[in-house]
Amino acid sequence: MIRKNNKRKVRNYFINFGIQHKIVVINLIFMLLVMVMSMAVIHTHMLENTMEQIYQNNLGSMALSLSGKLYIVLVVTFFFGIATQLWITHRVCGALINFVSTFKRIFDGDLDRKINLRKGDLLEKEADQFNRMMEKIARQFAALEIDNEKLRLKIKTLSEGRTEV
């Protein structure tokens, strides 16, 4: 199947909303707490320095603009964290969905099914190990079917009264 338009849309990054939602929310809460603590420390430190500078040199506006820049850096870092989390969960959840669909097909009897991940997906080593395992199982299953067919032929010849192999 050839795709004409391979551009990613934002909605395509939500592959498994349940898993991605939990991971992103937990990480965002943690990031938010770290940011609040960082801003509180920066703000109290800057406020102390600002008050000291106001009394000494009247340079308070310079210190406040510096604290504003630090807040901007923290906000940009927060949004960068959100984008990074979406990208990572997209790469993990996409691979997991591929695993699940492969498991369903194998359950239905398709032992030749392999896990094919997209370029850049995580869990590549696991997919390779799984594919090697399924190849070995398929070979063993084929050997068992050959042995089973030989036994059927042997039983058939014995039931017909023939003693030849």
Side-chain angles (χ1 to χ4, degrees), residues 15-29:
I15 293 176
N16 188 333
F17 187 75
I19 293 172
Q20 283 181 288
H21 182 265
K22 288 177 188 175
I23 292 170
V24 169
V25 166
I26 289 168
N27 286 330
L28 287 179
I29 290 171

Side-chain angles (χ1 to χ4, degrees), residues 11-17 20 90-91 93-94 97 118:
R11 66 185 164 107
N12 290 343
Y13 281 96
F14 295 103
I15 293 176
N16 188 333
F17 187 75
Q20 283 181 288
H90 176 74
R91 290 303 178 184
C93 291
I97 286 174
R118 298 169 300 182

